[in-house]
Amino acid sequence: MTDSKYFTTTKKGEIFELKAELNSDKKEKKKEAVKKVIASMTVGKDVSALFPDVVNCMQTDNLELKKLVYLYLMNYAKSQPDMAIMAVNTFVKDCEDPNPLIRALAVRTMGCIRVDKITEYLCEPLRKCLKDEDPYVRKTAAVCVAKLHDINAQLVEDQGFLDTLKDLISDSNPMVVANAVAALSEIAESHPSSNLLDLNPQSINKLLTALNECTEWGQIFILDCLANYVPKDDREAQSICERVTPRLSHANSAVVLSAVKVLMKFMEMLSKDLDYYGTLLKKLAPPLVTLLSAEPELQYVALRNINLIVQKRPEILKHEMKVFFVKYNDPIYVKLEKLDIMIRLASQANIAQVLAELKEYATEVDVDFVRKAVRAIGRCAIKVEQSAERCVSTLLDLIQTKVNYVVQEAIVVIKDIFRKYPNKYESVIATLCENLDSLDEPEARAAMIWIVGEYAERIDNADELLESFLEGFHDESTQVQLQLLTAIVKLFLKKPTETQELVQQVLSLATQDSDNPDLRDRGYIYWRLLSTDPVAAKEVVLAEKPLISEETDLIEPTLLDELICYIGTLASVYHKPPSAFVEGSRGVVHKSLPPRTGSSESAESPEAAPSAGQAAEQPAVIPAQGDLLGDLLNLDLGPPVSGPPLAASSVQMGAVDLLGGGLDSLMGGGGGFAAPSPAVPPSMGAPLGSGLGDLFDLTGGVGTLSGSYVAPKSVWLPAMKAKGLEISGTFSRQVGSISMDLVLTNKALQVMSDFAIQFNRNSFGLAPAAPLQVHAPLAPNQSVEISLPLNTVGSVMKMDPLNNLQVAVKNNIDVFYFSTLYPLHILFVEDGKMERQMFLATWKDIPNENEAQFQIKDCSLSADAVSSKLQGSNIFTIAKRNVEGQDMLYQSLKLTNGIWVLAELRIQPSNPTVTDLELSLKCRAPEVSQHVYQAYDTILKN
C-alpha cells in the first residue's frame, strides 16, 4: 500500500462547488450561488477565480441577479482587466434594454469600472444613454460623465460629452438638471481654468425653475452653483434672491445653509435703502434660529456659520439674543460658541440681559466655561461703554466668591478695562490687592503687577507688594519677569526716594543673573535711560497709553468675505479658507463676494472691504501675554548640529544663515545646518476621489504608505501672534523617516518670503534635516504645504514636558517663536522587536520600582486588532497568551536614542462591545513611560 492515498481527496473545495452552482441550469440555484460569491467577496475572500463564470450569469433578465453580478464586476474589474472586457458586450446590450432600470444600472456600473482599456468601448452606450427618453437613465448618465472624466479627461473632451452635459442643464426634468450641474461642478473643480459652467441669465432661470422640484441634494448642488454666479446688476440679484428665499424653510439644514450662502453673497449687491433689503434681513433670522433646535453636532456647525454671519451683518440677528443663551445640558463646545456670539451681539439695548446671564454662567461647574464667561463680562465692558460700571461691579462680586480661577480671570479682564477707561474705576484696586497671595497663573500675576505699577501713586504699599513678587524672581515665567521689571521702574519714577534699592535690585537681577535676552535687553535699556536722562525715562515709561479697541478677535475682512462664500462647508466650521486644509492637486479657487453696485454707500459702508490701495483701519489687537512659551532665545540655542561633511553641491543649502545676521551672536555661532538626510519618499496620499464616487467604488484611491498614526494638523502659531503668519502642522513617521508636515498661511496684507526654521535643543535631539523650502513668495490669503524632514542628531537637553519642542521661524517680516508637543510614537524605530529570551531577561533585570501601570479605557478592539494596529506604529508583539480568559500581549519598542521600553498589555473583555486594557510599562528611563502610554492611547483610539 503506497502513501499516495493521503494526497488524494474527493473534496474539491469551496471555489469548485461555487463554480458548479454558477453553471447550473436552475435560475434559483444560480442566484443563490452569486449571493454566496458576493458574501465571500464582502468578508475579504478572494473569489476572482470565478470571474468568467460570474460574468456568464449576466445574460439574464432578472434584475436582482444582474445587480449582484454588476457588484462583483466593479470589485474585480481592476485586478482582472482582460477578463472585464468580456463583459463589454453585455453592457452595450443592457444599454438598449427596454427596461430603463437596467439601462441605468448598466451606465452606473460602467462609470464605476476604472479600467482604461474598457473606457473607450463605453463611449457609445454612454452617448445613447445621455440622450435616452427616460429621465432616470439621463440623470445616471450625467453622473457617469463626471466619473469617466476622473479616469480619462481627454477622452471625455474628445467625445464631446461635456457639451452634451451642458445641454442637459436645459432638460425638462429637474433631477437631470441637478445631476448635470453636480457633474459639471465636479469637473470644473478639477480644472479651475476651464469655463465649463458658463452661467448666463437664461441658464440661471432654468436652474431656478428646477430648484423647486428636485430632491434636497439636487437643490444643494444647484444652490452651490448659483452662489458662483455674479449677477449683472442689483435688479437681477434681487430677482434671484426672491426665488431662492423659499428654500430657507426647508427641513434639511444643508439646503438652508446653502440658501443663506447665496443670499449673503447677493445682498452685497443690494442697496441698503431698498425696502427689499430690510425684508431679506428679517427673513434670514428665523431659519438660522431654527437650526439651533437640532442636535448638538448640527447646532455647533450652525453656530460656527452664524459666527461668520454675525461678523459680516450683525443686524440680521440683533433681536435674537435669547436663543444664544446657554442651556444647562449643552455640550461644552456648543456653550463656548454661544458665548462668543452673545458678545458679538451685545449692545446697549440688551446688555442688562447679557450681564445677568453671564454672571449666572460664572457660577457653573465647568472650569473652561466659567473662565470664558468671566472674560466675556470684561469684553462686554470694553464693547458697550454704558455697561462698564455694571460689568466692574459684577466682576467685583465674582472676586468676592474667592474661587481661585474666577478671581484670576477677573483680574486679567479688569486690567483691560483700566486700559480702556483710565482714571475711572481705580477705586477697586484695594479689593484686587487683597487677593494677591492667591494668584498662581502667570497671566493673572502679570496683570496684577501691571496694575500695581501703573497706579503705584495710589497704592500706599506698592513697593512692599512688588518686593513680595521679587523674592521668587527667577522662578517666575518670562511674562511676569518682564512686567515686574517695568512695574518697578514705573514705581521708581513715581517715588524715587523710597524705591532706589528696589530698582537697583531688579535691574541687577534682570541684567546680570538672567539668561533671557528679552529681559536682559529691557533691563539694560531702562538702566541706561535712568542713568543718562531720568526726564526722558519718565516720558518714555510713563507715556500716555493708547486706548485698546473693542473687538480683538474679528476675522480679517478679506478672509471673512471669502469664508462667507463657503457657508455650509467645512471651511465655515474651521474658519479657514479651503486652501489651508484641502490636500491634493486640485486647484482651490479663491472666492470673493461680488462688488457692490447700485449705491454710492460703498464708500462709507463698514461692510465694504477696503481696497488694496487704502489700508484697512484694523482694530488694534491686544496681544495676548505669554505669546512665547519660554521665549526660544532664553534657552541658549547651542551651536547648530554639524552632520557629516557636506558635499560641495549642498554647501549653499546647508550654510544658509537661518535667522538673519542679527541673531547669530545670540544663537551661538553661524546658522549652518545638519547635512540633509536622504530625501523622504513623497507620501502617496489618496487623491481626492470624485465627490460623486459611487458607494461601490471600492477601488478609488491609492492607499497611503503604511506608517504610524498621524494626528490631524492643529494650529501651532496663530496669525494674531505672528503678524499674520499662521502655522499649523503635525508630525509623521513613514518608512523610517520623521517629518514635520506644515501648512503656512499668510493672513496678513503683505507678501511673505525668506522663510527659515530652527529648533531649540530638546530631549531627543530632533532637528531639521534640510532647510525650510518655500519656493515662491506667499501672497496674502495663500497657504503652502511643506513636509520638513527631521533627524535625531541635534543637541540634546531634557525638556519639561519631555516631548516639548521649541521652534523659531523667520520670514521677511520678523522672527516668531512657538512651542509644540510631538507625539512620542514618531520616535519608535523599525527594529524595536526584541528576542523572546532577551525580553524575559530584560524584564527581570529592570527594577520593579521602574514599572508603571496605566489603564486604556473604552478600547473596543480584539487582541489581534490591537496587535496589528500597534505594529503599524512600530510597537511589536513578542508573545501572546491567554490567562483565565484574559488576553496578555508582551510587547517591545525602541526609541531613536536606543532606550528600550517593554510592555505587558492585558485585555479584559468586560463586555463584548467595550474593553478596558491594562498596560504595564518597564523601562530603564521611567520618565518616558507616561508619554509611551499616551502614544498607546492615541494609536488605539484613532
Side-chain angles (χ1 to χ4, degrees), residues 475-694:
D475 303 329
E476 298 287 3
S477 72
T478 307
Q479 71 181 99
V480 177
Q481 292 177 332
L482 288 165
Q483 270 311 351
L484 195 51
L485 172 61
T486 305
I488 290 177
V489 171
K490 285 180 186 168
L491 176 67
F492 172 69
L493 291 168
K494 292 175 181 177
K495 305 180 178 175
T497 46
E498 305 114 80
T499 55
Q500 204 156 354
E501 275 182 27
L502 190 60
V503 82
Q504 283 176 332
Q505 190 185 347
V506 78
L507 286 172
S508 78
L509 278 172
T511 53
Q512 287 157 23
D513 305 350
S514 168
D515 53 3
N516 178 341
D518 283 355
L519 189 61
R520 236 177 8 227
D521 288 354
R522 191 182 288 191
Y524 281 132
I525 288 172
Y526 285 153
W527 199 313
R528 285 168 193 156
L529 260 176
L530 293 171
S531 55
T532 51
D533 190 350
V535 180
K538 206 160 191 164
E539 282 174 10
V540 170
V541 180
L542 302 179
E544 276 290 298
K545 286 166 196 61
L547 297 183
I548 58 175
S549 84
E550 298 157 18
E551 294 276 0
T552 57
D553 57 347
L554 289 170
I555 295 175
E556 194 184 56
T558 43
L559 177 61
L560 180 62
D561 285 354
E562 185 176 353
L563 292 176
I564 291 288
C565 303
Y566 286 111
I567 284 177
T569 66
L570 207 49
S572 65
V573 180
Y574 285 160
H575 287 189
K576 289 178 182 172
S579 53
F581 59 85
V582 174
E583 295 180 355
S585 56
R586 302 217 167 170
V588 175
V589 191
H590 282 286
K591 298 185 181 178
S592 58
L593 293 178
R596 282 192 168 276
T597 56
S599 71
S600 58
E601 45 90 38
S602 59
E604 75 271 349
S605 146
E607 278 90 315
S611 65
Q614 58 183 85
E617 282 259 333
Q618 278 289 2
V621 173
I622 317 174
Q625 291 172 318
D627 281 4
L628 312 185
L629 292 145
D631 184 330
L632 249 196
L633 292 176
N634 72 0
L635 288 159
D636 172 30
L637 279 158
V641 189
S642 54
L646 293 172
S649 64
S650 64
V651 164
Q652 286 132 326
M653 181 169 82
V656 172
D657 169 10
L658 243 195
L659 298 175
L663 285 167
D664 275 6
S665 50
L666 291 176
M667 291 291 184
F673 243 126
S677 71
V680 179
S683 93
M684 295 161 54
L688 281 169
S690 145
L692 302 156
D694 207 274

Side-chain angles (χ1 to χ4, degrees), residues 189 333 357 561 582 585 644 801 805:
E189 221 169 83
Y333 54 89
E357 193 72 11
D561 285 354
V582 174
S585 56
L805 178 66

Side-chain angles (χ1 to χ4, degrees), residues 902-933:
L902 310 187
E904 179 192 75
L905 194 57
R906 181 188 298 249
I907 300 175
Q908 303 177 313
S910 52
N911 81 45
T913 52
V914 180
T915 49
D916 288 354
L917 314 185
E918 280 181 22
L919 177 66
S920 303
L921 295 174
K922 263 191 165 187
C923 175
R924 294 195 195 280
E927 57 269 44
V928 174
S929 300
Q930 176 66 33
H931 300 283
V932 172
Y933 153 67

Side-chain angles (χ1 to χ4, degrees), residues 219-220 223-224 227 253-263 567-568:
Q219 292 180 28
I220 291 167
L223 286 167
D224 287 350
S253 48
V255 177
V256 175
L257 281 176
S258 292
V260 169
K261 167 167 63 184
V262 175
L263 297 174
I567 284 177

